[in-house]
């Protein structure tokens, strides 16, 4: 019912394969993969080569969050590198419908990402082409920022739109949240309508470098909080 997607942005990049294996062994459902280009966002991270490098370390879905402009050119590279889902920001694409089509054409699931101040109306004419809606609860670019509370209102609006769509179409689109998700706010976020949770610093901050089980307790605690929420 709920998915936890640790963001490897906060992992130890010097041993990323181990980090991916350990966090999945600790109960991660997806691996969230943050791609930044120092253009659309003021930070530079990882690309298809790194996606390809971690792919053999896990069978769970790799959830690629593109914070790059332009969008279309790089999509097939991520599909070849083993991505399962690819999401992008509407402001970063000249032709949103086309970019969604490119993602579907290369065999991946498609997501649209909303910055804190980006209105949800971008959804209205592309729902049939979406598998995932991602609401940013921080401004994109960095891990470790504070959850913006207004996102809870936006989540409720998005939940209503997606529930309405599910009733009409019989198709369920996932509603993901990204930024500042922690043990002490995940239940409230789930209650507002999210079903898929990115967590970077709160998961990978739980360190004691050489222990392969160091993520067990934080993921169990996140799931424990979710267990109290009925959807
Ligand atoms: C921010 C990224 C997030 C980030 C979340 O632009 O999209 O995925 O890693 O990190 P935390 O969970 O630390 O806010
Ligand atoms: Zn992200």
């Amino acid at each position: 019912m709920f998915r936890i997607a640790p963001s490897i942005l906060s992992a130890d990049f010097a041993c990323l394969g181990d980090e991916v294996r350990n966090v999945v062994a600790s109960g991660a459902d997806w691996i969230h993969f943050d791609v930044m280009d120092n253009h659309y966002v003021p930070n530079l991270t990882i690309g298809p080569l790194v996606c390809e490098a971690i792919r053999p370390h896990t069978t769970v879905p790799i959830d690629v969050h593109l914070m790059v402009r332009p969008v279309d050119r790089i999509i097939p590279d991520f599909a070849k590198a083993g991505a399962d889902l690819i999401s992008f920001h509407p402001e970063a694409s000249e032709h949103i419908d086309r970019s969604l089509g490119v993602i579907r054409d290369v065999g991946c699931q498609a997501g649209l990402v909303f910055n804190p101040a980006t209105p949800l109306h971008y959804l209205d004419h592309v729902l049939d082409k979406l598998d995932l809606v991602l609401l940013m609860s921080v401004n994109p670019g960095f891990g470790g920022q504070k959850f913006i509370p207004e996102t809870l209102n936006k989540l409720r609006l998005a939940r209503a739109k997606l529930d309405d769509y599910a009733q009409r179409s019989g198709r369920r689109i996932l509603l993901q949240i990204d930024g500042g998700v922690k043990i002490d706010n995940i239940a409230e976020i789930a209650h507002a309508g999210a079903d898929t949770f990115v967590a970077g610093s709160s998961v990978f901050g739980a360190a004691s470098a050489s222990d392969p089980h160091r993520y067990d307790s934080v993921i169990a605690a996140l799931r424990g909080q979710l267990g109290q929420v009925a959807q």
Side-chain angles (χ1 to χ4, degrees):
M1 179 157 97
F2 293 118
R3 278 148 296 271
I4 296 177
S7 163
I8 56 167
L9 186 61
S10 294
D12 181 351
F13 277 32
C15 48
L16 215 40
D18 289 343
E19 289 278 66
V20 165
R21 279 202 308 276
N22 292 343
V23 85
V24 170
S26 294
D29 298 298
W30 293 359
I31 293 294
H32 185 78
F33 192 98
D34 286 307
V35 184
M36 305 184 188
D37 66 350
N38 190 37
H39 175 70
Y40 179 64
V41 291
N43 198 0
L44 185 64
T45 59
I46 44 181
L49 273 177
V50 177
C51 186
E52 193 180 350
I54 63 165
R55 184 66 282 182
H57 291 271
T58 185
T59 56
V60 306
I62 297 180
D63 166 34
V64 172
H65 174 191
L66 294 179
M67 288 160 273
V68 304
R69 184 164 54 205
V71 170
D72 295 8
R73 223 290 304 143
I74 202 85
I75 289 170
D77 297 7
F78 276 102
K80 278 194 215 101
D84 296 278
L85 304 100
I86 302 178
S87 306
F88 64 94
H89 292 246
E91 300 91 338
S93 171
E94 295 289 334
H95 305 283
I96 297 164
D97 182 274
R98 174 181 288 148
S99 299
L100 292 171
V102 174
I103 297 172
R104 289 284 189 88
D105 285 350
V106 295
C108 293
Q109 293 197 293
L112 207 50
V113 191
F114 292 81
N115 286 330
T118 302
L120 290 175
H121 64 61
Y122 281 109
L123 286 176
D124 290 347
H125 304 287
V126 294
L127 284 165
D128 285 339
K129 294 179 176 164
L130 284 179
D131 301 291
L132 175 85
V133 170
L134 167 52
L135 300 194
M136 294 303 300
S137 37
V138 297
N139 288 293
F142 304 95
Q145 303 180 78
K146 206 170 148 1
F147 185 89
I148 297 172
E150 169 60 21
T151 316
L152 295 172
N153 292 326
K154 198 173 181 186
L155 263 176
R156 287 185 269 269
L157 292 173
R159 178 79 273 156
K161 268 182 194 273
L162 298 186
D163 284 351
D164 176 62
Y165 175 74
Q167 275 207 327
R168 284 186 280 122
S169 68
R171 217 171 63 83
R172 196 171 143 73
I173 298 171
L174 296 178
L175 181 52
Q176 185 178 42
I177 190 86
D178 184 4
V181 176
K182 309 213 171 309
I183 295 166
D184 64 11
N185 64 8
I186 193 169
E188 193 182 12
I189 297 167
H191 196 68
D195 51 41
T196 305
F197 305 83
V198 176
S201 51
S202 61
V203 170
F204 286 102
S208 132
S210 58
D211 176 8
H213 299 292
R214 63 189 172 280
Y215 306 127
D216 290 8
S217 60
V218 64
I219 293 182
L222 290 166
R223 234 183 257 294
Q225 292 290 316
L226 292 173
Q228 332 245 332
V229 181
Q231 260 204 328

